Amino acid sequence: MNAPDIDHHERIVKTKLKSVNVQACPGGGKTTTCGHRIGHLITDGVRAHDILVLSFSDDAVGEVRRKLDELAATTPSRKFANNARHICVQTAHAFALSVVKMATPNVKVVDNAKSRQLLAQAIRKTLVDARAKLLWKSVPSPVRKRRIKLLRQLLSQTTLHALFLSAIAYTHAANLTLLTTVSMTRFKRLSGYIDVINSVVRRYAAAKQLANYIDYGDMLTQACSLLELQPSLVRFKHVLVDEYQDSSPAQTLVLKVLAENCGCSVMVFGDRDQNIYGFAGNRYTALSAVLNGVVEMPLPVSHRLTREVAALASAVAGHDSEKRIVSHRQGVKPRLISNSGLTSQTHQVVADILRLIDSGTALDQIAVLARTRDFLRPVEQRLLAHGIPTQRLGVKRDIGHCLSTLRLVRLVERSARLGHKIDEASIRQSMRKITVAETRWPGAVQRLRIAVRATSLDGRFGQCADAYMHLLGGIRANTEIQHELNRWEPMCRGYPDAASARQAFKKIAGQHHNEPVGVGVVTANIHAAKGREWNHVMVVGLAHGQLPYVKALDDAQALEEERRVLYVAISRARETLHLYYAPVTHAPTGQRFKLLSQLLAAHKVSRLLAMEYGPDVPVSDSTPTDDIYVNSSQKTRRLRSSQIS
C-alpha cells in the first residue's frame, strides 16, 4: 500500500466512532479492511463472541470467513489467531432467523412448495368468507360479486401464484406496501386483482402463523419487532457488514434496531455503484438515512484494477473527478471487439482464450461473463470441443448425467454392432440407478432405436441425451441438466466410441489424479461474478438490448441498474479486459439488436477502448466512427460511437 492508502486503512481499522459507513471502490480492500478491523477489536480486548459480521449471500459469508482464516494464520496477534473461529459470520436472514427462534424455537422456514400451498389455501379461505358475507359487508353487492369472480380466477390461475409470492417477498425487502409493489411494471399481471390482494395476504399470513411457518420476509420483520421489545436477545456489541450496498431496506432497519435498541456499534463496507439486485427489492440506503451520527470514511484506491480499467469503470459509472477510481498500476487499454454475429463472436472469444492459455495463463484466471447465460453456452461448448474444461459459477456441475448418457450410447453401439434390438429391459438395466415413471420407458425405447441409425459418436450422444431427458421428465423440468449435456456433446467428435469418451471426460472433469472437479475457464452471469476477480475477464453480449437488457430500456431506474451491472463486470479484471459486441436476435420476441450498447457508445467511454474488428467484419477507413440511432420507447436518440453500423 502507498502512504495515502495506509492512512485510509488505518483510520478505519482503529477508529473509535460508533457508526461508520466505509465507501470503497472495486478492489479497494473492503473485506480485508473488515478483517483487520475485527483483528484490531479482538487485540484491543473485545471478545470474539461480541462481534457479528453480516454479508449479503452465503458465498459472500464464505469469502469473509476465508479472509478471517487467512488473517488469523498470518497475524502476529496470538489473541486474534486463537479467537477468529469464534466470530459469528452470517447472512442477515440467518441472523434474523436465529433471533426469531429464541422467541419461538419450533418455528419452521417455509419452502416454495409449501408457500404455494398456503397461498392457495388463503385464496380459498378468502373466497369462502366472501361468499358467506363475512368479508366486505359494507360494499355493494355488484362489487362483492366482482371480487368473488376475481378470487375464483386467482385460485384457478396457478401460474400467478409464484408471481404473487414474489410480490410479497419484494414488498418485505423493499419495505413498501403491497399495493405499491403490484403497481410496478414487473408485477402488472397482478394489477387486475388489486381489490382482493390485501384480503388474501392477511389470510396467507394467518395460515403461516397457524402452521408455525415463516418466510424470508418474515424473518427480518419479526426479528426487528422482537429486538425492539427484547434487546437482550442480542449478545453482540460490534456489528460489521460486508457488501452493504446489497442490503435491502428491511435489512437496513435491522441495523437500525441493533444500533439504537441494542447499543451495538455499526460499521458497514460497500460500494453504492455495485448495487445490482434492485429486482429483488434491494436498493442502496445510506446508513446516515436511518442512523444519526454516521461518519463516512473512504477506501478510494483500487488494488485490483489497472489505471486503464479503472478509467473505463469510472466513465461507465458516470463518476465525476472527485469520485473517480484511483489506481497506481499501469496496464493495457481494454479491447472492444466487434463481430458480425454470435457464431463469429464465440470463435473470437475462444481464440483469445486459447492465446492466453498458450502464454501460460491458468485456466481459473480466465473468466467469461455475460448478462444472460445464453451467451455462455456456445463458448462452453466450443471450449470443450478443444478439450478445455469450464466451470460455471452458481451452477453445480455434475458429470454423472453425461456418464449416464454414455451408458445409453454404449447400449446403442452394442445394438448397431451385434444387431440386437433395443428393448425396455436393457434400458432399465442401464438406468437402474435413476427413478423413472413407468409411462416413459416406451418413449425411450423409440428414441434409442432412432439413435442406432446415427454414424458418429456426437450424433448418437445427442439422440441418447434426448432419450435420457425424456426419462427424467423432459427438458422443461430439467433445463440445467440439458445445458450440461449440451456442453459435452461437441466433445464427442474426437473419440471413436463411448468407452474412450467416458475415460476422457472423467479425466477432464477432474476425477483422475485427485484433481478437484470444476477446474477450468470460469463462466458466469455478471450477478454471480460479483465479489470475484480474475486476471483476464471477457464480457460477451454487449449489444444494445442485451446489456442494457431490453426490458430495462424504457425504465430509467432499471437502466441505471444495468449501468451498474456493466460496471461490476468491468471491475472484475485484474490485468486485461476484453469486451465483445455482435448483432443478436432476442429469442423470446424475435427482435434484432444491431447496435452497440449505449453504455459503451458515449464518446467519453468509447475513447478509453481499443477498437478491433473480427476478420468477418468489413471496415471502411473512411468511416471509423458512425452516427447511430437507438430506438427506446419510440423515441430516437442520437449517439456518437466508434463502432460498426
Side-chain angles (χ1 to χ4, degrees):
M1 291 186 182
N2 295 334
D5 311 345
I6 294 174
D7 289 344
H8 288 296
H9 177 84
E10 288 295 310
R11 280 200 296 269
I12 294 166
V13 168
K14 297 181 178 179
T15 184
K16 300 292 185 182
L17 295 169
K18 188 82 169 172
S19 304
V20 177
N21 187 357
V22 178
Q23 278 294 323
C25 65
K30 295 189 295 292
T31 306
T32 299
T33 304
C34 180
H36 286 157
R37 169 65 175 173
I38 293 167
H40 173 75
L41 290 172
I42 291 177
T43 305
D44 209 35
V46 176
R47 297 189 310 156
H49 291 284
D50 293 337
I51 300 173
L52 170 65
V53 185
L54 300 177
S55 198
F56 169 66
S57 64
D58 290 333
D59 285 344
V61 166
E63 180 64 19
V64 173
R65 174 52 63 190
R66 184 188 64 79
K67 182 62 69 174
L68 287 176
D69 291 342
E70 284 182 1
L71 293 174
T74 58
T75 183
S77 171
R78 188 175 292 272
K79 186 180 287 188
F80 179 42
N82 292 337
N83 289 278
R85 66 182 183 276
H86 299 303
I87 297 165
C88 183
V89 186
Q90 293 181 302
T91 63
H93 284 91
F95 164 71
L97 180 60
S98 68
V99 173
V100 173
K101 283 193 170 185
M102 291 181 196
T104 51
N106 297 323
V107 72
K108 297 168 290 188
V109 180
V110 65
D111 58 20
N112 288 334
K114 189 64 178 178
S115 292
R116 292 194 184 195
Q117 182 183 336
L118 292 173
L119 179 62
Q121 180 182 325
I123 298 170
R124 202 174 293 111
K125 171 66 172 170
T126 310
L127 182 58
V128 170
D129 288 349
R131 284 171 171 169
K133 297 185 179 181
L134 300 174
L135 184 65
W136 305 315
K137 293 180 182 179
S138 60
V139 301
S141 180
V143 175
R144 185 186 301 107
K145 288 180 179 179
R146 183 172 58 82
R147 292 180 180 180
I148 289 173
K149 184 179 179 181
L150 288 175
L151 288 169
R152 287 200 302 267
Q153 291 174 356
L154 187 58
L155 187 61
S156 63
Q157 296 288 326
T158 55
T159 55
L160 286 180
H161 293 183
L163 186 65
F164 201 133
L165 292 169
S166 295
I168 294 173
Y170 187 97
T171 299
H172 280 298
N175 198 29
L176 300 172
T177 65
L178 189 60
L179 294 182
T180 302
T181 300
V182 170
S183 66
M184 300 171 67
T185 304
R186 62 178 295 195
F187 299 111
K188 65 181 179 181
R189 290 177 63 198
L190 293 173
S191 60
Y193 304 92
I194 200 164
D195 288 344
V196 301
I197 277 176
N198 280 336
S199 298
V200 171
V201 169
R202 282 195 294 271
R203 284 157 180 79
Y204 174 65
K208 284 189 296 180
Q209 187 175 6
L210 185 63
N212 206 24
Y213 278 112
I214 61 170
D215 56 26
Y216 277 3
D218 296 330
M219 292 178 194
L220 298 171
T221 54
Q222 290 191 25
C224 281
S225 300
L226 285 168
L227 292 177
E228 286 175 350
L229 298 172
Q230 305 177 61
S232 59
L233 290 173
V234 171
R235 70 172 190 267
F236 305 108
K237 301 292 185 272
H238 298 270
V239 179
L240 300 97
V241 183
D242 195 27
E243 303 292 348
Y244 172 70
Q245 75 279 344
D246 294 322
S247 298
S248 66
Q251 292 168 356
T252 305
L253 290 177
V254 172
L255 294 180
K256 175 181 172 69
V257 173
L258 286 171
E260 295 182 348
N261 294 71
C262 305
C264 299
S265 68
V266 176
M267 179 177 285
V268 301
F269 298 80
D271 177 5
R272 66 190 71 188
D273 291 318
Q274 294 190 55
N275 173 26
I276 59 174
Y277 292 96
F279 60 87
N282 296 10
R283 65 174 184 269
Y284 182 82
T285 304
L287 192 61
S288 57
V290 295
L291 288 181
N292 295 321
V294 175
V295 176
E296 191 165 298
M297 303 178 78
L299 281 173
V301 180
S302 177
H303 309 290
R304 175 195 307 158
L305 308 182
T306 63
R307 289 175 178 170
E308 293 77 7
V309 175
L312 179 64
S314 291
V316 167
H319 291 162
D320 57 28
S321 56
E322 294 183 0
K323 292 183 178 179
R324 281 179 193 153
I325 302 169
V326 179
S327 174
H328 301 307
R329 287 200 303 123
Q330 196 70 32
V332 296
K333 206 170 188 179
R335 299 166 64 208
L336 174 62
I337 305 100
S338 296
N339 295 102
S340 63
L342 183 58
T343 301
S344 58
Q345 177 180 272
T346 301
H347 283 275
Q348 181 74 56
V349 172
V350 172
D352 290 339
I353 291 173
L354 292 175
R355 278 193 288 270
L356 288 172
I357 294 171
D358 289 342
S359 68
T361 303
L363 297 184
D364 61 358
Q365 287 305 312
I366 304 171
V368 183
L369 309 181
R371 174 65 175 80
T372 60
R373 60 190 178 189
D374 294 337
F375 290 94
L376 302 175
R377 293 170 194 143
V379 175
E380 293 170 344
Q381 291 176 352
R382 187 154 186 82
L383 285 172
L384 276 176
H386 284 275
I388 299 170
T390 64
Q391 50 173 325
R392 177 86 67 86
L393 290 185
V395 175
K396 186 178 180 181
R397 286 279 161 78
D398 186 1
I399 194 176
H401 299 296
C402 175
L403 300 181
S404 294
T405 302
L406 286 172
R407 282 198 292 272
L408 294 177
V409 176
R410 292 180 69 178
L411 187 63
V412 169
E413 289 175 342
R414 194 180 307 120
S415 174
R417 188 173 62 252
L418 303 176
H420 294 164
K421 198 170 185 178
I422 294 175
D423 56 18
E424 190 174 307
S426 59
I427 302 176
R428 285 178 181 270
Q429 178 62 23
S430 296
M431 297 287 102
R432 59 186 180 276
K433 292 184 178 181
I434 67 173
T435 303
V436 178
E438 287 296 320
T439 57
R440 295 194 169 272
W441 295 110
V445 172
Q446 185 180 0
R447 286 168 168 81
L448 292 185
R449 287 176 179 176
I450 295 172
V452 175
R453 304 172 194 169
T455 56
S456 64
L457 182 61
D458 59 315
R460 285 174 173 171
F461 185 94
Q463 294 286 354
C464 291
D466 182 43
Y468 181 68
M469 294 304 300
H470 174 74
L471 290 172
L472 293 183
I475 295 175
R476 287 190 177 182
N478 302 278
T479 54
E480 288 301 332
I481 297 176
Q482 179 66 57
H483 299 156
E484 185 69 15
L485 295 177
N486 288 344
R487 294 174 64 247
W488 293 102
E489 184 178 344
M491 188 73 177
C492 294
R493 295 167 191 164
Y495 303 95
D497 53 37
S500 57
R502 176 185 174 88
Q503 185 178 1
F505 290 179
K506 289 177 70 175
K507 185 175 181 179
I508 291 173
Q511 296 187 359
H512 285 315
H513 311 301
N514 295 319
E515 295 175 5
V517 175
V519 173
V521 173
V522 178
T523 62
N525 66 51
I526 297 169
H527 287 81
K530 193 171 175 299
R532 310 290 185 103
E533 58 183 50
W534 298 272
N535 288 346
H536 307 279
V537 172
M538 301 173 173
V539 187
V540 298
L542 291 174
H544 193 73
Q546 291 296 325
L547 184 61
Y549 199 56
V550 61
K551 292 182 179 179
L553 298 182
D554 299 324
D555 186 331
Q557 189 173 343
L559 189 59
E560 284 306 304
E561 182 159 320
E562 293 292 293
R563 183 184 303 278
R564 296 193 294 271
V565 168
L566 179 58
Y567 173 85
V568 167
I570 290 170
S571 60
R572 301 308 95 196
R574 280 195 293 257
E575 294 180 12
T576 66
L577 175 66
H578 312 255
L579 308 173
Y580 299 86
Y581 154 76
V584 295
T585 300
H586 186 233
T589 64
Q591 188 176 355
R592 183 72 171 168
F593 299 125
K594 299 180 180 181
L595 306 176
L596 175 68
S597 168
Q598 74 173 68
L599 304 176
L600 295 172
H603 177 67
K604 67 176 183 179
V605 177
S606 62
R607 67 182 178 82
L608 301 171
L609 297 167
M611 311 295 293
E612 300 181 20
Y613 301 89
D616 57 338
V617 178
V619 182
S620 172
D621 293 335
S622 62
T623 57
T625 61
D626 301 296
D627 292 331
I628 65 174
Y629 297 84
V630 176
N631 190 346
S632 178
S633 187
Q634 300 180 346
K635 296 179 181 178
T636 304
R637 258 182 315 177
R638 195 166 185 245
L639 303 172
R640 185 74 175 174
S641 166
S642 300
Q643 63 155 25
I644 63 171
S645 58

